[in-house]
Amino acid sequence: MKNKKMLLPIEKVNPGMKTAEVVFNKLGNVMLWDGVALDSITIERLKNIGIEEISVHVEDPREKEIKYDYDSPQLFAAEYEQDANSTRQVFQSISSGRRLDIQATDEIVDSVLRKSESNRNIIDSITQVRSIDEYTYYHSLNVSMLCMIIGKWLRLDEYHVRNLTQAGLLHDIGKTRIPLEILNKPDKLTDAEFEEMKRHSEYGYNIVKNSDDIPPEVAKAILTHHEKEDGSGYPIGLTEDKLNLYSKVITVADIFDAMTANRTYKSKDTPFKVFELMQHGSFGILDPIVLNAFLNNVTTYYIGASVLLNTGETGIVVFMNKQNLSRPVVQVGDRYIDTSVSKFVRIKEFI
Ligand SMILES: [Fe+2]
Ligand SMILES: [Fe+2]
């Protein structure tokens, strides 16, 4: 596919085009990196904060492929539910003693990979509330989607992005061997129950290790997805030099999905809080390169979002503070409020 790079007025920019250069806001801060697929919400937000023109890649219309319109949230949501359902079937089939259905697994991986330009839909669907007994299926699918987009942000090639998507989908497959009364227990687990729960990494490894269709690095990532950089994880206590990249990516995706799921019940300012916790509370746990690739890119999806402040005013997020991601700069009318400086002002919710 041939692409032309063009500087276009924002009114002429259409969903599906990709940024050809970094987009800066009027304060000189990065709004979007180059190579970002634009969707209608992002384009609207760029207009709202006064961006007049941007440089984009434009496809030559003679070579345009017929593509699925994943910019549509409805279409995305329908496929997402279907993929979650297929994930449930793959997991339940293993619970009932059958081998891993590799064909069904590949179909889900293909479906996730087709959504590789739908980052906003992926990020939105991850923050939805799920029932506890369905949690593992949605979580597995979410981690798979997050692994895919982090792989792309790390600029890995297609082979590795596919493996990562598969590893993310199967990382908790060992939970099919954990008794349901432990898996779905709403209260805190006892020490013995927690020890059993921790064995899901080994159980998962045992399910996939002899399959010719699962690359050995994927199997290893399933075994080591709860290891930590400083060696304090399980089941082995490996340190960062012994962990493969897939495992490091899964850990970041896993923590983000688990944190947003837990916190969705409590408040709507979830993502900012989660970013802060990941940024400041993960030293020694998460790989800094993977974490930075994730945070630097994912936070741009919140620039231009409308928010309600605790002062009762409404505003638009115009800049994420890299040092303090939970406290961005918000534009209220013609004022800029840096919530990292004005400590008493905070974001109450998205509107
Ligand atoms: Fe896990
Ligand atoms: Fe997990």
Side-chain angles (χ1 to χ4, degrees):
M1 172 93 45
K2 281 190 191 136
N3 283 317
K4 275 197 297 185
K5 181 175 158 182
M6 289 175 80
L7 184 65
L8 285 185
I10 196 73
E11 290 73 31
K12 296 265 168 63
V13 175
N14 292 321
M17 290 178 175
K18 282 189 178 176
T19 52
E21 285 173 6
V22 175
V23 179
F24 294 95
N25 68 9
K26 290 192 168 159
L27 302 171
N29 299 311
V30 174
M31 290 263 325
L32 294 173
W33 298 101
D34 57 328
V36 173
L38 294 158
D39 58 24
S40 47
I41 298 175
T42 308
I43 296 168
E44 212 36 56
R45 287 178 176 175
L46 291 173
K47 286 181 194 164
N48 288 345
I49 62 166
I51 302 288
E52 288 164 2
E53 53 185 20
I54 61 170
S55 184
V56 290
H57 288 298
V58 181
E59 284 176 12
D60 184 334
R62 287 162 300 181
E63 299 191 31
K64 198 167 168 57
E65 290 170 1
I66 299 170
K67 272 204 246 156
Y68 234 47
D69 176 18
Y70 282 111
D71 198 26
S72 149
Q74 291 80 10
L75 179 62
F76 182 93
E79 289 227 349
Y80 177 72
E81 289 305 322
Q82 221 170 55
D83 290 343
N85 198 32
S86 307
T87 306
R88 178 194 299 111
Q89 285 167 5
V90 166
F91 275 59
Q92 284 178 343
S93 145
I94 292 176
S95 299
S96 64
R98 283 189 278 269
R99 291 165 65 100
L100 175 67
D101 183 343
I102 193 70
Q103 195 190 332
T105 304
D106 279 346
E107 281 170 15
I108 303 166
V109 169
D110 288 337
S111 175
V112 171
L113 290 169
R114 280 199 300 275
K115 299 175 183 65
S116 65
E117 305 291 329
S118 302
N119 290 357
R120 180 177 303 283
N121 286 322
I122 289 174
I123 292 159
D124 284 352
S125 56
I126 281 163
T127 46
Q128 289 168 28
V129 182
R130 311 278 167 213
S131 69
I132 196 153
D133 47 332
E134 294 281 287
Y135 174 79
T136 305
Y137 317 126
Y138 284 99
H139 170 69
S140 301
L141 184 58
N142 291 348
V143 171
S144 174
M145 295 192 299
L146 285 168
C147 283
M148 170 186 69
I149 57 180
I150 297 171
K152 293 190 74 177
W153 287 336
L154 287 167
R155 300 189 192 271
L156 302 182
D157 63 23
E158 250 175 65
Y159 171 79
H160 290 299
V161 171
R162 186 182 176 87
N163 282 351
L164 261 177
T165 309
Q166 185 187 54
L169 183 69
L170 299 176
H171 79 284
D172 274 340
I173 194 79
K175 288 195 176 170
T176 53
R177 299 268 190 270
I178 304 290
L180 283 179
E181 56 277 19
I182 297 180
L183 192 64
N184 296 340
K185 187 176 175 182
D187 311 314
K188 201 169 181 290
L189 299 180
T190 64
D191 288 350
E193 287 167 340
F194 189 56
E195 285 309 310
E196 177 59 20
M197 184 68 125
K198 280 162 71 175
R199 298 197 66 194
H200 76 273
S201 307
E202 292 160 78
Y203 295 151
Y205 177 70
N206 288 335
I207 290 167
V208 299
K209 72 176 179 195
N210 293 324
S211 168
D212 294 338
D213 303 292
I214 305 286
E217 313 94 281
V218 171
K220 191 182 169 201
I222 292 170
L223 178 65
T224 59
H225 76 274
H226 284 289
E227 298 287 358
K228 293 176 185 165
E229 296 283 296
D230 61 5
S232 64
Y234 61 84
I236 307 163
L238 295 176
T239 45
E240 46 94 16
D241 51 316
K242 302 279 189 321
L243 297 172
N244 71 16
L245 183 61
Y246 299 168
S247 168
K248 294 172 184 224
V249 172
I250 294 173
T251 312
V252 169
D254 195 23
I255 288 183
F256 179 67
D257 186 60
M259 279 179 148
T260 45
N262 289 339
R263 284 158 199 280
T264 309
Y265 300 94
K266 293 178 192 156
S267 66
K268 284 188 186 167
D269 57 2
T270 312
F272 291 119
K273 286 269 164 59
V274 173
F275 296 146
E276 188 188 22
L277 286 167
M278 290 181 85
Q279 190 175 28
H280 298 297
S282 61
F283 185 73
I285 298 172
L286 301 175
D287 179 271
I289 293 172
V290 177
L291 181 64
N292 279 338
F294 176 67
L295 291 177
N296 284 338
N297 285 284
V298 79
T299 51
T300 61
Y301 284 87
Y302 297 93
I303 294 174
S306 298
V307 288
L308 173 67
L309 301 175
N310 62 336
T311 56
E313 296 168 298
T314 57
I316 295 170
V317 175
V318 286
F319 174 59
M320 304 295 296
N321 276 309
K322 291 270 182 261
Q323 308 308 323
N324 197 344
L325 290 166
S326 68
R327 294 191 159 269
V329 178
V330 178
Q331 184 181 358
V332 176
D334 50 11
R335 285 179 301 137
Y336 291 97
I337 302 174
D338 185 343
T339 60
S340 70
V341 178
S342 312
K343 295 274 187 210
F344 67 94
V345 182
R346 60 179 177 77
I347 291 169
K348 215 171 149 197
E349 60 185 61
F350 286 109
I351 48 174

